[in-house]
Amino acid sequence: MKRYGQACAIARALDVVGERWSLLLVRELTLGPRRYRDLATGLPGIPSNVLAGRLKDLQAAAVITQRTLPAPTDVTVYELTDAGRALQPALNELLDWGLRYGPEPSQDDAVQPGWALLGAAGRPTALPAGQTCELRVGPEFFYLSSDAGKLIVRRGPAPDGDAVVTMSADTLYSLVTGQTTVTDAVRHSTVDGDTEIARRALEPLAGSLIRPAPAI
């Protein structure tokens, strides 16, 4: 990794996560552990040697770690350490900055359901503690829960979920960009289980990626 060689905390932070792809790799792990091939899929355009190099560097810096899931899975996954999770506020600020000041996405830009959910994580929710909703978008599964009135989003199926929502990617993107309401999103989706729990789980997603109005 190249270093700035400056006795400044910002420069020293960028020594670790300032390389191209590094923060996006952290982004891919914010919703939970992922396999190498999942990371490659979540980072379209990254060369395999660059991904391997960034993983090695971030492991050396104790930002991410690697472990093997227990049998019968026996799959190796990467996940964030405490230091990696401590980057979440910085990612949230970058997400907000990107919505406010970043260029509009082009029609050719890649889109993925997990990215669409990043803006909803941490928003206020009426979903009761202890109740969960599984959200299925294409081949991807996410589970939505709450902690202290804030929405928690994680990858994977919801164990014993109170509701399961199967939604198209188009409906999800319309919901998070404010082009459709929760009521319409539910109408265009399949809901198994408690519909009210599903609605409450989806409410924080509504408009979560709308560009904020400029400050006056």
Side-chain angles (χ1 to χ4, degrees):
M1 247 191 248
K2 296 178 181 177
R3 296 185 66 255
Y4 286 101
Q6 299 177 12
C8 161
I10 295 174
R12 288 186 286 119
L14 291 176
D15 284 343
V16 177
V17 295
E19 292 279 1
R20 189 165 187 254
W21 298 106
S22 291
L23 276 178
L24 293 184
L25 203 161
V26 173
R27 175 200 68 188
E28 288 304 298
L29 296 173
T30 58
L31 301 184
R34 305 205 78 186
R35 298 170 297 179
Y36 183 94
R37 69 180 184 183
D38 295 328
L39 291 172
T41 300
L43 295 167
I46 189 171
S48 182
N49 65 314
V50 173
L51 175 55
R54 294 293 180 270
L55 287 169
K56 181 180 177 180
D57 291 340
L58 291 173
Q59 285 182 88
V63 172
I64 66 174
T65 188
Q66 177 180 337
R67 68 183 172 95
T68 301
L69 298 179
T73 307
D74 292 328
V75 171
T76 298
V77 295
Y78 296 89
E79 60 188 353
L80 296 176
T81 63
D82 288 343
R85 286 187 289 272
L87 287 165
Q88 190 61 57
L91 290 178
N92 290 341
E93 290 296 328
L94 282 172
L95 189 153
D96 182 70
W97 191 95
L99 289 175
R100 290 179 183 276
Y101 306 112
E104 292 286 354
S106 72
Q107 292 185 342
D108 297 330
D109 285 347
V111 292
Q112 295 192 13
W115 306 342
L117 295 174
L118 290 174
R123 296 185 94 191
T125 180
L127 185 64
Q131 294 186 307
T132 60
C133 175
E134 181 177 298
L135 176 61
R136 301 176 180 177
V137 185
E140 297 205 59
F141 286 42
F142 305 89
Y143 66 92
L144 312 178
S145 60
S146 67
D147 182 33
K150 303 290 185 182
L151 184 71
I152 304 298
V153 181
R154 301 289 289 174
R155 290 187 184 275
D160 302 319
D162 299 283
V164 177
V165 180
T166 303
M167 178 182 291
S168 71
D170 286 345
T171 298
L172 174 62
Y173 299 136
S174 293
L175 181 62
V176 298
T177 55
Q179 299 175 60
T180 193
T181 64
V182 171
T183 297
D184 286 339
V186 169
R187 185 181 298 122
H188 290 94
S189 304
T190 300
V191 178
D192 296 312
D194 192 322
T195 302
E196 183 58 26
I197 290 299
R199 291 180 58 85
R200 291 187 180 190
L202 294 176
E203 281 169 358
L205 278 61
S208 59
L209 293 185
I210 292 178
R211 182 185 291 267
I216 299 177

